[in-house]
Amino acid sequence: MLSIAPLFALVDLNNASSSELLELNGIGKAKAQKIINYRASNQCFKSIDELVNVDGISKKIISSNKANLMLGVCEATQTKEAISSLLDVILDPINIVFTVVIFVLGYIDQKTGKDLKSQIVSVGVLGTFVGIFIGLQAFNPEDIINSVNDILVGLKTAFFTSIVGMGVSTVLSVTQTLKAKSDNE
């Protein structure tokens, strides 16, 4: 028996718009909206058969569309994971120490008028080397695939501390330049 490929692209149940859902058999505007509402309140579909939980969607509708459906990565979950990952980086004890040192130097620079911007950048760069060092400690050249995660954890520290150091230094430079210009006017 010959298999006939779908005439249109697969519809990603976890990310499809209302108009994309309308391409499915037996799905009108109301059912498309119900699918979107269900997806939003349940943080996406875990399986295509879960569609039966949407009011008005029968097993027959699911069966007639199954070949045209797919489950993509849930954007809502992806956003939540990205926020969680960012919080993990910010709350990492090493990053907290470097951030506190950078902000203390920034405060001293601002209050005393001493130019500590190069020291602030240097602390950020030091954090970069510390992060790379941390990542390399767990690296096993004989098991590169399983060592990648450890390197990435160290690189998060490396980039975070550099971003904070350069960011604080840049903000101080801009505010001091603007203050100097307003004082001269």
Side-chain angles (χ1 to χ4, degrees):
M1 182 158 191
L2 294 173
S3 172
I4 300 173
L7 297 175
F8 50 89
L10 291 176
V11 175
D12 179 355
L13 198 53
N14 282 332
N15 299 297
S17 65
S18 180
S19 61
E20 291 169 320
L21 291 169
L22 290 172
E23 296 175 10
L24 299 170
N25 296 323
I27 304 296
K29 287 182 181 182
K31 288 180 184 173
Q33 191 56 53
K34 287 180 182 180
I35 291 170
I36 291 171
N37 293 344
Y38 179 90
R39 178 177 70 201
S41 64
N42 292 284
Q43 293 194 343
C44 298
F45 289 91
K46 282 49 166 190
S47 75
I48 292 172
D49 292 326
E50 189 181 345
L51 261 173
V52 77
N53 297 332
V54 176
D55 184 40
I57 306 292
S58 66
K59 289 182 181 182
K60 184 178 178 183
I61 291 174
I62 296 169
S63 177
S64 69
N65 288 297
K66 212 163 197 171
N68 300 319
L69 290 171
M70 64 173 274
L71 293 176
V73 175
C74 180
E75 290 178 2
T77 304
Q78 221 174 8
T79 302
K80 198 175 211 179
E81 288 172 1
I83 291 169
S84 174
S85 179
L86 179 61
L87 282 174
D88 289 345
V89 171
I90 292 170
L91 297 176
D92 179 90
I94 294 169
N95 292 342
I96 290 172
V97 168
F98 277 98
T99 301
V100 168
V101 170
I102 288 168
F103 278 103
V104 166
L105 288 172
Y107 178 79
I108 293 170
D109 180 293
Q110 190 71 22
K111 289 297 179 185
T112 64
K114 296 185 181 209
D115 188 6
L116 299 177
K117 288 179 277 312
S118 63
Q119 288 80 4
I120 291 168
V121 171
S122 294
V123 170
V125 171
L126 177 62
T128 301
F129 290 118
V130 168
I132 292 169
F133 179 76
I134 289 168
L136 290 175
Q137 291 310 297
F139 180 72
N140 180 358
E142 295 171 5
D143 189 13
I144 293 174
I145 291 176
N146 291 321
S147 295
V148 168
N149 189 50
D150 295 321
I151 290 176
L152 292 176
V153 168
L155 288 178
K156 286 179 184 179
T157 293
F159 285 108
F160 180 79
T161 57
S162 289
I163 290 168
V164 172
M166 292 169 67
V168 169
S169 178
T170 302
V171 168
L172 285 171
S173 291
V174 169
T175 56
Q176 289 170 358
T177 300
L178 291 174
K179 185 179 177 192
K181 282 186 179 182
S182 69
D183 288 346
N184 290 336
E185 290 178 350

